[in-house]
Amino acid sequence: MTITARVVHQVARPDGFPTPDHFAFLEEVVPAPGPGQALVENLFFSVDPYMRELMDEAGLTSGGSWQLHSPLEGRTIGRVLASADASLAAGDFVFHRQGWRTHALVRASEVRLLPRYEGVPLTAHLSLLGGTGLTAYVALTRTARLQPGEDLFISAAAGGVGTAAGQIARLLGAGRIVGSAGSPAKVDRLVTDLGFDVAFDYHDGPVPQLLAAAAPDGLDVALENVGGDHLEAAIGSLREFGRIAWVGAIAQYHSLQSPPPAPRNLYDVVGKSLRLEGVLVRNHRDVQGELEDFLVPHIRAGRIRPAETVIDGFDNIVAAFLAMLRGENVGKMLVRA
């Protein structure tokens, strides 16, 4: 069996916000699987903020950059079509990282065989049960060590990690949960559907002032996805001995040569005895089983649900990626082949 796959390459480095011209769709012949290989048809694709870093000459925290004119990587769910490995059978659903293409040849060591949990959508393995949910869970339980009753701020709260973190924090017994988002509709969604006590639109004024008004008595923990003025706001609102789990830096992904001047109060980390620690999910793969044991019963019971924006059609994967960078999604941005 040979397959002609559609693949996406990056063909130029962006200077600022990327455009469709930085990508190209091509066709490649995928041969029949050889010994130890399986042929996978990709079904769902994750497009993520960290990929913007990979587009540059040198990725910041992601360990490298995408090579031009080569297949791209990305979290993906696929179905095995044919296999020459006894551990993978036709029909198996697998998670792997050969995304941005319709079909892929994989080895068993490169995939994770996905369990089928009754009452849990397959896409959850890319959102709540995937790297997005794992990032949120690790940031709260390992990095910030959130305790019941503690007050929490989540920046970019309407994104994939933010929506997962807010819901998980509620299950962990958090006190007041505050979020920032980029539109009134997102603010309403956070409070109405996703368990936040209060949220604000960061376009409405200086973020430090908006956060201080939303959390006048201060905060214990911040889960930071933005950097810049959001990080400054978090430092300003944290109580003594507060903790910051720093996940992302959306504020500077498109301006690596001139990052934002904030936070201007960084020395308050010392004055308040705060702890600021970065979070890289690849350092916590061993927590995957714990995450599933914790979340699957809650998903089945309806106490937490994947927040996902799903775009149909592989041809729309670049458009979905750019829309995610513009903040047009609520929750995890996924593409369905």
Coordinates of all heavy atoms in Angstrom, one line a residue, residues 152-213:
L152 N -6.1 32.4 42.6 CA -5.3 32.1 41.4 C -5.7 33.0 40.3 O -6.8 33.4 40.1 CB -5.6 30.6 41.0 CG -5.2 30.2 39.6 CD1 -3.6 30.1 39.6 CD2 -5.8 28.8 39.2
F153 N -4.6 33.5 39.6 CA -4.8 34.3 38.4 C -4.2 33.5 37.2 O -3.1 32.9 37.2 CB -4.0 35.6 38.5 CG -3.9 36.4 37.1 CD1 -5.1 36.7 36.4 CD2 -2.7 36.7 36.6 CE1 -5.0 37.4 35.2 CE2 -2.6 37.4 35.4 CZ -3.8 37.7 34.7
I154 N -5.0 33.4 36.1 CA -4.6 32.7 34.9 C -4.7 33.8 33.7 O -5.7 34.3 33.4 CB -5.5 31.5 34.6 CG1 -5.5 30.5 35.7 CG2 -5.1 30.9 33.3 CD1 -6.5 29.4 35.6
S155 N -3.6 34.0 33.1 CA -3.6 34.9 31.9 C -3.8 34.1 30.7 O -3.6 32.9 30.6 CB -2.2 35.7 31.8 OG -1.2 34.8 31.6
A156 N -4.3 34.8 29.6 CA -4.8 34.2 28.4 C -5.7 33.0 28.8 O -5.5 31.9 28.3 CB -3.6 33.7 27.6
A157 N -6.6 33.3 29.6 CA -7.4 32.2 30.3 C -8.4 31.5 29.3 O -8.9 30.5 29.6 CB -8.2 32.8 31.4
A158 N -8.7 32.1 28.1 CA -9.6 31.5 27.2 C -8.9 30.6 26.2 O -9.5 30.1 25.3 CB -10.4 32.6 26.4
G159 N -7.6 30.5 26.3 CA -6.8 29.6 25.4 C -6.9 28.2 25.9 O -7.6 27.8 26.8
G160 N -6.1 27.3 25.2 CA -6.1 25.9 25.5 C -5.7 25.6 27.0 O -6.4 25.0 27.8
V161 N -4.5 26.1 27.3 CA -4.0 25.9 28.7 C -4.8 26.6 29.7 O -5.1 26.1 30.8 CB -2.5 26.3 28.8 CG1 -2.0 26.2 30.2 CG2 -1.6 25.3 27.9
G162 N -5.2 27.8 29.4 CA -6.0 28.6 30.3 C -7.3 28.0 30.7 O -7.7 27.9 31.9
T163 N -8.1 27.5 29.7 CA -9.4 26.9 30.0 C -9.2 25.6 30.7 O -10.0 25.3 31.6 CB -10.2 26.7 28.7 OG1 -9.4 25.9 27.8 CG2 -10.6 28.0 28.0
A164 N -8.2 24.9 30.4 CA -7.9 23.6 31.2 C -7.5 23.9 32.6 O -8.0 23.3 33.5 CB -6.8 22.8 30.5
A165 N -6.7 24.9 32.8 CA -6.2 25.3 34.1 C -7.3 25.8 35.0 O -7.4 25.4 36.2 CB -5.1 26.3 34.0
G166 N -8.2 26.6 34.5 CA -9.3 27.1 35.3 C -10.2 26.0 35.8 O -10.6 26.0 37.0
Q167 N -10.5 25.1 34.9 CA -11.4 24.0 35.3 C -10.7 23.0 36.3 O -11.3 22.5 37.2 CB -11.9 23.2 34.1 CG -12.8 24.0 33.2 CD -13.3 23.2 32.0 OE1 -14.3 22.6 32.1 NE2 -12.6 23.2 30.9
I168 N -9.4 22.7 36.0 CA -8.7 21.8 36.9 C -8.5 22.5 38.3 O -8.6 21.8 39.3 CB -7.3 21.5 36.3 CG1 -7.5 20.6 35.0 CG2 -6.4 20.7 37.3 CD1 -6.3 20.3 34.2
A169 N -8.2 23.8 38.3 CA -8.0 24.4 39.6 C -9.3 24.4 40.4 O -9.2 24.2 41.6 CB -7.6 25.9 39.3
R170 N -10.5 24.5 39.8 CA -11.7 24.4 40.5 C -11.9 23.0 41.1 O -12.3 22.8 42.3 CB -12.9 24.7 39.5 CG -14.2 24.7 40.2 CD -14.3 25.7 41.3 NE -14.3 27.1 40.8 CZ -13.9 28.1 41.5 NH1 -13.4 28.0 42.7 NH2 -13.9 29.3 41.0
L171 N -11.5 21.9 40.4 CA -11.5 20.6 40.9 C -10.6 20.4 42.0 O -10.8 19.5 42.9 CB -11.2 19.6 39.8 CG -12.3 19.5 38.6 CD1 -11.7 18.6 37.5 CD2 -13.6 19.1 39.1
L172 N -9.4 21.1 42.0 CA -8.4 21.0 43.1 C -8.8 21.8 44.3 O -8.1 21.8 45.3 CB -7.1 21.5 42.5 CG -6.4 20.6 41.5 CD1 -5.2 21.3 40.9 CD2 -6.1 19.2 42.0
G173 N -9.9 22.5 44.2 CA -10.4 23.3 45.4 C -9.9 24.7 45.5 O -9.8 25.2 46.6
A174 N -9.5 25.3 44.4 CA -9.0 26.7 44.4 C -10.0 27.6 45.0 O -11.2 27.3 45.0 CB -8.6 27.1 43.0
G175 N -9.6 28.7 45.6 CA -10.5 29.7 46.1 C -11.0 30.6 44.9 O -11.7 30.1 44.0
R176 N -10.6 31.8 44.9 CA -11.1 32.8 43.8 C -10.2 32.6 42.6 O -8.9 32.6 42.7 CB -10.9 34.2 44.3 CG -11.5 35.3 43.4 CD -11.5 36.6 44.1 NE -11.8 37.7 43.3 CZ -13.1 38.1 43.1 NH1 -14.1 37.5 43.7 NH2 -13.3 39.2 42.3
I177 N -10.8 32.4 41.4 CA -10.1 32.2 40.2 C -10.4 33.4 39.3 O -11.5 33.6 38.9 CB -10.5 30.9 39.5 CG1 -10.3 29.7 40.4 CG2 -9.7 30.7 38.2 CD1 -10.7 28.3 39.8
V178 N -9.3 34.1 38.9 CA -9.4 35.3 38.1 C -8.7 35.0 36.7 O -7.6 34.4 36.7 CB -8.7 36.5 38.7 CG1 -8.8 37.7 37.9 CG2 -9.3 36.7 40.1
G179 N -9.3 35.4 35.6 CA -8.7 35.2 34.3 C -8.7 36.5 33.5 O -9.5 37.4 33.7
S180 N -7.7 36.6 32.6 CA -7.7 37.6 31.6 C -8.0 37.0 30.2 O -7.6 35.9 29.9 CB -6.4 38.4 31.5 OG -5.4 37.5 31.0
A181 N -8.7 37.8 29.3 CA -9.0 37.3 28.0 C -9.0 38.5 27.1 O -9.0 39.7 27.5 CB -10.3 36.5 28.0
G182 N -9.2 38.3 25.8 CA -9.1 39.3 24.8 C -10.4 39.9 24.2 O -10.3 40.7 23.2
S183 N -11.5 39.5 24.7 CA -12.8 40.0 24.2 C -13.9 39.9 25.3 O -13.8 39.0 26.2 CB -13.2 39.3 22.9 OG -13.7 38.0 23.3
P184 N -14.9 40.7 25.2 CA -16.0 40.6 26.1 C -16.7 39.2 26.1 O -17.1 38.6 27.1 CB -17.0 41.7 25.7 CG -16.1 42.7 25.1 CD -15.1 41.9 24.4
A185 N -16.8 38.6 24.8 CA -17.4 37.3 24.7 C -16.6 36.2 25.4 O -17.2 35.3 26.1 CB -17.5 36.9 23.2
K186 N -15.3 36.3 25.3 CA -14.4 35.4 26.0 C -14.5 35.5 27.6 O -14.6 34.5 28.3 CB -13.0 35.5 25.6 CG -12.7 35.0 24.2 CD -11.2 35.1 23.8 CE -10.9 34.6 22.4 NZ -9.5 34.7 22.1
V187 N -14.6 36.8 28.0 CA -14.7 37.0 29.4 C -16.0 36.4 29.9 O -16.0 35.7 31.0 CB -14.7 38.6 29.7 CG1 -15.2 38.9 31.1 CG2 -13.3 39.1 29.5
D188 N -17.1 36.6 29.2 CA -18.4 36.0 29.6 C -18.3 34.5 29.6 O -18.8 33.8 30.5 CB -19.5 36.5 28.6 CG -20.8 35.9 29.0 OD1 -21.4 36.3 30.0 OD2 -21.3 35.0 28.2
R189 N -17.7 33.9 28.6 CA -17.5 32.4 28.6 C -16.8 31.9 29.8 O -17.1 30.9 30.3 CB -16.8 32.0 27.3 CG -16.7 30.5 27.1 CD -17.9 29.8 26.6 NE -17.7 28.4 26.4 CZ -17.1 27.8 25.4 NH1 -16.8 28.5 24.3 NH2 -17.0 26.5 25.3
L190 N -15.7 32.6 30.2 CA -14.9 32.1 31.3 C -15.8 32.1 32.6 O -15.7 31.1 33.3 CB -13.7 33.0 31.5 CG -12.6 33.0 30.5 CD1 -11.6 34.1 30.8 CD2 -11.9 31.6 30.4
V191 N -16.6 33.1 32.8 CA -17.3 33.2 34.0 C -18.6 32.3 34.0 O -19.0 31.6 34.9 CB -17.7 34.6 34.3 CG1 -18.6 34.7 35.5 CG2 -16.4 35.5 34.5
T192 N -19.2 32.3 32.8 CA -20.5 31.5 32.6 C -20.3 30.0 32.5 O -21.1 29.3 33.1 CB -21.2 32.1 31.4 OG1 -21.5 33.4 31.5 CG2 -22.6 31.4 31.3
D193 N -19.3 29.6 31.8 CA -19.2 28.2 31.5 C -18.0 27.5 32.1 O -18.0 26.2 32.1 CB -19.1 28.0 29.9 CG -20.4 28.5 29.2 OD1 -21.4 28.5 29.9 OD2 -20.3 28.8 28.0
L194 N -16.9 28.2 32.4 CA -15.6 27.5 32.7 C -15.1 27.7 34.1 O -14.0 27.4 34.4 CB -14.6 28.0 31.7 CG -14.9 27.6 30.2 CD1 -14.0 28.4 29.2 CD2 -14.8 26.1 30.0
G195 N -16.0 28.1 35.0 CA -15.7 28.1 36.4 C -14.9 29.2 37.0 O -14.5 29.2 38.2
F196 N -14.6 30.3 36.2 CA -13.9 31.4 36.8 C -14.9 32.3 37.6 O -16.0 32.5 37.3 CB -13.3 32.3 35.6 CG -12.1 31.6 35.0 CD1 -12.3 30.5 34.1 CD2 -10.8 32.1 35.2 CE1 -11.2 29.9 33.5 CE2 -9.7 31.6 34.6 CZ -9.9 30.4 33.8
D197 N -14.3 32.9 38.7 CA -15.1 33.8 39.5 C -15.3 35.1 38.9 O -16.3 35.8 38.9 CB -14.5 33.9 40.9 CG -14.6 32.6 41.6 OD1 -15.7 32.2 42.1 OD2 -13.5 31.9 41.7
V198 N -14.2 35.6 38.2 CA -14.2 36.9 37.6 C -13.2 36.9 36.5 O -12.2 36.1 36.5 CB -13.9 38.0 38.6 CG1 -12.5 37.9 39.2 CG2 -14.1 39.4 38.0
A199 N -13.4 37.7 35.4 CA -12.4 37.8 34.3 C -12.5 39.2 33.8 O -13.5 39.9 34.0 CB -12.7 36.8 33.3
F200 N -11.5 39.6 33.1 CA -11.4 41.0 32.5 C -10.8 40.9 31.1 O -10.0 40.0 30.8 CB -10.7 42.0 33.4 CG -9.2 41.6 33.6 CD1 -8.2 42.0 32.7 CD2 -8.8 40.9 34.8 CE1 -6.9 41.6 32.9 CE2 -7.5 40.6 35.0 CZ -6.5 40.9 34.1
D201 N -11.2 41.9 30.3 CA -10.7 42.0 29.0 C -9.5 42.9 29.1 O -9.5 44.1 29.5 CB -11.8 42.7 28.1 CG -11.3 42.9 26.6 OD1 -10.1 42.8 26.4 OD2 -12.2 43.1 25.8
Y202 N -8.3 42.4 28.7 CA -7.1 43.1 28.9 C -7.0 44.4 28.0 O -6.0 45.2 28.2 CB -5.8 42.2 28.7 CG -5.7 41.6 27.4 CD1 -5.2 42.3 26.3 CD2 -6.1 40.2 27.1 CE1 -5.1 41.7 25.0 CE2 -5.9 39.6 25.9 CZ -5.4 40.4 24.9 OH -5.3 39.8 23.6
H203 N -7.9 44.5 27.1 CA -7.9 45.8 26.3 C -8.5 46.9 27.0 O -8.5 48.1 26.5 CB -8.7 45.5 25.0 CG -8.1 44.5 24.0 ND1 -8.6 43.2 23.9 CD2 -7.0 44.5 23.3 CE1 -7.9 42.6 23.0 NE2 -6.9 43.3 22.6
D204 N -9.1 46.7 28.2 CA -9.9 47.7 28.8 C -9.1 48.7 29.7 O -9.6 49.6 30.3 CB -11.0 47.1 29.7 CG -12.1 46.5 28.9 OD1 -12.2 46.8 27.7 OD2 -12.9 45.7 29.5
G205 N -7.7 48.5 29.7 CA -6.9 49.4 30.5 C -5.6 48.7 30.8 O -5.3 47.6 30.4
P206 N -4.8 49.4 31.6 CA -3.5 48.8 32.1 C -3.8 47.5 32.8 O -4.6 47.5 33.8 CB -2.9 49.9 33.0 CG -3.5 51.1 32.5 CD -4.9 50.8 32.1
V207 N -3.1 46.4 32.4 CA -3.4 45.1 33.0 C -3.1 45.1 34.5 O -3.9 44.5 35.3 CB -2.6 44.0 32.3 CG1 -2.8 42.7 33.0 CG2 -3.1 43.9 30.9
P208 N -2.1 45.7 35.1 CA -1.9 45.7 36.5 C -3.1 46.3 37.3 O -3.5 45.8 38.3 CB -0.6 46.5 36.7 CG 0.2 46.3 35.4 CD -0.9 46.3 34.4
Q209 N -3.7 47.4 36.7 CA -4.8 48.0 37.4 C -6.1 47.1 37.3 O -6.8 46.9 38.2 CB -5.1 49.3 36.7 CG -4.0 50.4 37.0 CD -4.4 51.7 36.3 OE1 -5.5 52.0 36.0 NE2 -3.3 52.5 36.1
L210 N -6.3 46.5 36.1 CA -7.4 45.6 35.9 C -7.3 44.4 36.8 O -8.3 44.0 37.4 CB -7.5 45.1 34.5 CG -7.7 46.2 33.4 CD1 -7.6 45.6 32.0 CD2 -9.2 46.7 33.6
L211 N -6.1 43.8 37.0 CA -6.0 42.7 37.9 C -6.2 43.1 39.3 O -6.8 42.3 40.1 CB -4.6 42.0 37.7 CG -4.4 40.7 38.5 CD1 -5.5 39.7 38.4 CD2 -3.0 40.2 38.2
A212 N -5.6 44.2 39.7 CA -5.8 44.7 41.1 C -7.3 44.9 41.4 O -7.7 44.6 42.6 CB -5.0 46.0 41.3
A213 N -8.0 45.4 40.5 CA -9.5 45.6 40.7 C -10.2 44.2 40.8 O -11.2 44.1 41.5 CB -10.0 46.4 39.6

